[in-house]
Amino acid sequence: MGYEIDLGRAGDKPGTMDLTELLATRLLVQGNSGSGKSHLLRRLLEQSAGLVQQAIIDPEGDFVTLAERYGHVVVEADGNEAELLRIAARVREHRVSVVLSLEGLDAEDQMRAAAAFLGGLFDADRSLWYPMLVVVDEAQLFAPAAAGEVSDEARRLSLGAMTNLMCRGRKRGLAGIIATQRLAKLAKNVAAEASNFLMGRTFLDIDMARAADLLGLDRRQAEMFRDLPRGHFVGLGPALSKRPLPIAIGPTVTESRNAAPALLPLPTMGEEARALILTASPEEEARPLPAPRPKPVRTPGPDVLVQLANYRPPVREDLPEEEPMDPAEREAAMAEILASVLADSDAAACTPATLYQDFTVRCRIRRIGGEAMGLPEFKRRLAVARAGVDGATAEGPAWERAQEMAAGLPEDLAGLFLLIARTALQGAPCPSDAALAEAYGTSSAGRARRMLGYLEERGAIVLRRDLRGAPIIAVPDLDVETGPQIGAAPVLTLRRRGRS
């Protein structure tokens, strides 16, 4: 025997929903704020109140008014998850309709409370698997498509409970009805389990496209969702209609206690308003001021790469203790390892952090003892190594000045500048685009050229061309410049401001 729920009007016919079919196939409702989504849920709950047990997950306290008229028990969640588990078990045992009000909790506590309550409903003994409508308003809060500001644990618990409700709840008598403002914010594995849909007014293209796809409409028909009046929805599914069916939701008996306030004229006060606002009443004077909340102190987390570099396996007592490495030998070994890292064919396109990780792994393989080289020191040495400076140039005061200048630049530009400085100090030809890109740690010559423009804006270098058009890079602070670039001179084309 089927039971029909009267939702309203579908044109000149009644808009009905088959309750028996709904219990087997679940329902997804979507509509922007103000589209009448909560009104639809209230109509559905009122029309089915005497036919089936109901449980409502209510994040805003909208549905507590059902209690007085239809006998729902209001459960005010207080963050006690163990107690909510026991309450949910008793709800299934005694077949009482309830409203779980989460109004007083923050977002993370709401997720934990909903997960505990849904888990209690889901884990009930097999003998208690009676039919029940489980309505979750603002479902995107409990099954978000992406991580938010809440902890991963709370999100995992809540998403798991919602997935159980929609994917495995049918065999346990639980028929999920989830409502959301944005389909794009709702986890797809939760939304995909619904077979019935009621889509209301929405404005964002991504939500309209997804709603049209669920209803089997084409892209042009998706525009209709922008024009739907408040309280009008398009329904589809085995419990509703085999074809998309516009439905105007009928009136409800109860009202939300959080209904939007009507416009009221402002009181006329004149000068009295100033005294009312700026002067405290005797009751306020006697009331102590709340203590200011201390600002949380955020300490930076440890550098993972440095932690990996400093890791040492536990010392085994049955093995002889290794002798400390001579500092000179250790320095030579680290220089050799750095050279082997840079000799890799893919090193030119890798970031310093990636190369540092490779460097620390090779150090552990070679059993390099002592304090590991930090990432800043590694970046400095990497920049010098990429510059390719020889011994004679490295010993001169000009190179020391070049390193001081590189230290004042962003870390990713130090290697590029030192390559230019070394070339200019040696009077060698201007480096090619490929060499400049490798010194910057990229395979893109265009990006390296943009970085040259940035160095010129900072006053670190000056770019010019000789009479043949070959580029030359000067370093004014060192009073040196490179020779003309050999070969593909026209490739290095930089646009200066105001010129083309």
Side-chain angles (χ1 to χ4, degrees):
M1 177 180 178
Y3 295 93
E4 298 291 335
I5 301 174
D6 180 11
L7 295 179
R9 302 295 299 176
D12 57 352
K13 299 180 180 179
T16 61
M17 175 180 288
D18 189 314
L19 178 58
T20 304
E21 194 68 35
L22 175 62
L23 290 170
T25 53
R26 298 166 295 278
L27 171 66
L28 170 63
V29 179
Q30 188 222 249
N32 286 160
S33 179
S35 63
K37 171 172 48 65
S38 296
H39 178 80
L40 184 155
L41 294 179
R42 184 176 294 273
R43 172 78 179 191
L44 190 155
L45 290 167
E46 289 182 354
Q47 293 294 314
S48 61
L51 301 175
V52 65
Q53 185 184 3
Q54 300 172 348
I56 303 105
I57 308 297
D58 187 5
E60 299 295 338
D62 287 340
F63 295 95
V64 296
T65 52
L66 292 171
E68 183 177 350
R69 174 84 181 191
Y70 297 100
H72 291 63
V73 174
V74 177
V75 178
E76 297 284 352
D78 58 1
N80 189 335
E81 298 168 36
E83 181 62 20
L84 285 176
L85 275 169
R86 291 190 287 267
I87 291 174
R90 292 194 291 268
V91 165
R92 297 221 70 179
E93 179 182 0
H94 300 292
R95 303 186 66 186
V96 175
S97 294
V98 295
V99 178
L100 177 64
S101 177
L102 307 175
E103 187 178 12
L105 304 179
D106 61 24
E108 180 162 336
D109 287 340
Q110 283 189 345
M111 295 179 79
R112 292 180 180 275
F117 188 78
L118 290 174
L121 297 179
F122 186 83
D123 295 334
D125 186 82
R126 179 182 290 270
S127 62
L128 304 177
W129 288 1
Y130 302 109
M132 173 188 284
L133 291 181
V134 182
V135 177
V136 183
D137 197 13
E138 306 297 349
Q140 76 279 355
L141 302 177
F142 308 105
E149 297 180 355
V150 300
S151 66
D152 290 339
E153 181 190 7
R155 178 176 179 270
R156 177 180 57 81
L157 291 172
S158 181
L159 183 57
M162 290 288 290
T163 303
N164 280 339
L165 170 65
M166 297 300 290
C167 298
R168 302 169 56 200
R170 183 182 66 84
K171 291 184 179 180
R172 289 162 173 79
L174 303 177
I177 299 177
I178 56 176
T180 180
Q181 293 185 14
R182 299 261 339 261
L183 277 173
K185 289 187 176 182
L186 184 65
K188 289 186 178 180
N189 61 327
V190 172
E193 296 302 321
S195 301
N196 300 286
F197 308 99
L198 282 165
M199 301 298 174
R201 183 174 59 199
T202 188
F203 295 97
L204 294 179
D205 290 342
I206 185 173
D207 292 324
M208 289 193 300
R210 192 168 169 190
D213 182 60
L214 290 173
L215 296 180
L217 304 176
D218 58 32
R219 295 282 179 174
R220 292 174 297 178
Q221 292 173 304
E223 295 290 333
M224 66 180 289
F225 293 111
R226 282 200 179 103
D227 302 325
L228 287 175
R230 174 182 170 84
H232 287 245
F233 291 78
V234 179
L236 177 70
L240 286 162
S241 170
K242 295 181 180 179
R243 298 287 185 273
L245 178 68
I247 299 177
I249 306 302
T252 59
V253 178
T254 62
E255 293 184 359
S256 169
R257 67 178 183 179
N258 296 330
L263 289 174
L264 295 174
L266 294 175
T268 304
M269 291 189 182
E271 290 298 325
E272 296 177 7
R274 180 178 181 85
L276 288 173
I277 297 302
L278 300 181
T279 304
S281 65
E283 292 80 4
E284 289 177 307
E285 293 285 357
R287 189 184 310 144
L289 294 175
R293 296 180 62 182
K295 293 183 178 180
V297 179
R298 297 185 180 272
T299 56
D303 192 319
V304 177
L305 294 177
V306 174
Q307 284 185 324
L308 290 173
N310 289 334
Y311 171 76
R312 295 293 180 271
V315 178
R316 292 179 54 183
E317 296 181 358
D318 58 333
L319 296 177
E321 186 176 353
E322 295 183 3
E323 297 183 1
M325 184 177 289
D326 180 73
E329 182 184 356
R330 180 175 180 275
E331 186 65 26
M334 289 183 22
E336 181 182 345
I337 293 172
L338 177 59
S340 67
V341 169
L342 291 177
D344 193 292
S345 58
D346 296 325
C350 292
T351 64
T354 302
L355 296 179
Y356 179 63
Q357 186 175 3
D358 187 23
F359 173 80
T360 56
V361 171
R362 297 191 188 206
C363 284
R364 293 203 303 274
I365 293 174
R366 288 280 298 273
R367 303 287 189 186
I368 304 297
E371 188 68 21
M373 182 190 302
L375 182 57
E377 173 65 14
F378 176 80
K379 288 182 177 180
R380 186 190 68 79
R381 294 197 184 195
L382 178 64
V384 173
R386 278 176 165 169
V389 63
D390 56 24
T393 304
E395 294 175 358
W399 181 248
E400 293 183 4
R401 172 60 182 154
Q403 288 185 301
E404 292 176 1
M405 294 173 62
L409 296 170
E411 289 182 348
D412 59 334
L413 292 175
L416 180 61
F417 174 78
L418 288 177
L419 171 64
I420 296 169
R422 188 268 299 170
T423 307
L425 288 171
Q426 295 177 346
C430 177
S432 65
D433 286 8
L436 292 170
E438 182 177 352
Y440 182 62
T442 180
S443 58
S444 170
R447 181 177 298 175
R449 290 196 293 269
R450 289 195 296 272
M451 293 305 103
L452 287 181
Y454 176 77
L455 287 175
E456 186 174 25
E457 291 179 355
R458 292 282 296 265
I461 64 173
V462 175
L463 300 165
R464 71 179 184 88
R465 292 181 178 274
D466 65 6
L467 296 178
R468 294 174 300 170
I472 297 172
I473 305 178
V475 185
D477 287 0
L478 302 179
D479 196 22
V480 292
E481 66 178 25
T482 70
Q485 189 183 80
I486 297 175
V491 175
L492 188 62
T493 303
L494 294 172
R495 293 189 177 184
R496 302 181 183 231
R497 295 182 177 177
R499 299 173 59 185
S500 58

